[in-house]
Amino acid sequence: RLATTSCSKEVGIIMIPEISNSSLITLWIIFSLVIMIMLHSVGSLIYSIFFPTVISYPWDKQCDQGHKDEGDCVIMAGSFNPPHKGHFAMLEYLSKRHAQVICVVGKNPNKKYLVTPEDRAALLKQGLNFSSNVSVEVVSDYIWRFAKQKYPNKSLIFYRGIRSWEKDGREERSLQILNTWGPIVIGWAWPIPTRYIAGQPKYNHISSTLIRNILQTNDSAAAAKEELSSLLPESIVGRVFELYSPKE
């Protein structure tokens, strides 16, 4: 008898479920919404660069009536080399408008300073006698990274002090581009919005460079201190004179 064997081969077939027209429409709507949100977000960043928020003087009168944005945290960064009356006037305004104000002195670990960031931070603390909701930090990291790590649950805003947008806008726009795209590229983080506050006209002639020049060129200590008294809070005149006068 001849024995016959039969071999059977099973072929696996991937079954693709049918997608109804209504499901395709839903997916298309979701995809379109995601694209629209992304375009709107990118558009808002570009808009903020070309049309920045500038708080002109006179500043918001609501602050004089006790109005304050609770639950937020604002950061004003600078070299403050040294801090002067213009800086302190802006910080006082921000302390009335916002719940928490962080004054940041930037520090480059690879740079040698004639007056250290820590000394400048001490000057700021010494001059901050108008509010308890302003603190001072020395930061050597990216300031946006410091802010997001230290205050993760806060609504954060950057402030930059300027004389006016006409005078300082070009330089500030270049910095804002870095502050806008830096967090996205480096940290995969959404950037912190930046606002600008124009200085009080009576203080706009004051600059840290002017103060340093006075101390470098004035031979009379009494005359230098008298001139500084119109540019600095009285509480820090003596210390600024010590730190910034030429060393023999």
Side-chain angles (χ1 to χ4, degrees):
R1 175 187 292 181
L2 297 176
T4 60
T5 58
S6 62
C7 297
S8 62
K9 184 184 292 185
E10 294 183 359
V11 179
I13 300 176
I14 300 175
M15 302 297 293
I16 300 176
E18 293 185 2
I19 301 177
S20 64
N21 290 336
S22 61
S23 297
L24 286 172
I25 292 172
T26 302
L27 289 172
W28 175 251
I29 292 173
I30 294 172
F31 176 77
S32 300
L33 286 173
V34 170
I35 295 298
M36 288 175 63
I37 292 171
M38 291 176 64
L39 290 174
H40 179 269
S41 300
V42 173
S44 66
L45 291 180
I46 296 173
Y47 182 88
S48 68
I49 292 172
F50 288 97
F51 302 97
T53 300
V54 180
I55 300 175
S56 302
Y57 192 83
W59 300 322
D60 193 349
K61 295 297 183 182
Q62 286 182 312
C63 295
D64 298 331
Q65 303 168 5
H67 174 81
K68 185 176 289 188
D69 296 334
E70 299 295 340
D72 62 359
C73 176
V74 302
I75 296 148
M76 184 173 174
S79 59
F80 303 104
N81 192 24
H84 52 69
K85 282 186 175 181
H87 294 137
F88 286 106
M90 292 178 183
L91 289 168
E92 184 175 8
Y93 162 73
L94 293 176
S95 73
K96 293 179 179 179
R97 179 170 181 175
H98 298 281
Q100 186 176 10
V101 180
I102 314 298
C103 185
V104 171
V105 182
K107 178 180 180 179
N108 183 345
N110 300 317
K111 183 177 179 181
K112 186 175 181 180
Y113 297 94
L114 294 176
V115 177
T116 68
E118 288 76 13
D119 282 332
R120 284 177 265 144
L123 287 172
L124 283 163
K125 291 175 183 178
Q126 192 173 345
L128 289 170
N129 54 7
F130 45 77
S131 180
S132 60
N133 66 331
V134 183
S135 58
V136 182
E137 300 272 2
V138 176
V139 176
S140 56
D141 195 0
Y142 291 114
I143 296 174
W144 57 264
R145 180 181 288 160
F146 153 81
K148 285 181 175 290
Q149 289 177 349
K150 187 159 186 176
Y151 307 100
N153 300 318
K154 293 283 188 177
S155 175
L156 298 169
I157 304 170
F158 278 145
Y159 272 95
R160 293 282 299 171
I162 57 174
R163 292 170 296 176
S164 68
W165 189 253
E166 290 73 21
K167 292 180 179 178
D168 301 326
R170 184 172 182 179
E171 182 179 349
E172 289 295 331
R173 178 168 286 136
S174 300
L175 182 61
Q176 188 181 2
I177 291 172
L178 295 176
N179 287 336
T180 298
W181 299 109
I184 297 174
V185 175
I186 298 172
W188 290 87
W190 195 249
I192 298 171
T194 300
R195 297 177 185 173
Y196 297 91
I197 175 171
Q200 290 189 33
K202 66 178 180 179
Y203 295 140
N204 276 352
H205 69 287
I206 305 176
S207 69
S208 298
T209 302
L210 171 65
I211 294 167
R212 294 196 303 271
N213 287 341
I214 289 172
L215 290 168
Q216 293 294 322
T217 58
N218 204 319
D219 295 329
S220 169
K225 288 182 179 180
E226 183 178 356
E227 197 167 355
L228 289 179
S229 64
S230 65
L231 309 175
L232 304 170
E234 194 62 36
S235 59
I236 66 171
V237 169
R239 185 58 177 153
V240 168
F241 181 83
E242 292 176 8
L243 288 171
Y244 287 89
S245 293
K247 305 297 187 290
E248 295 182 359

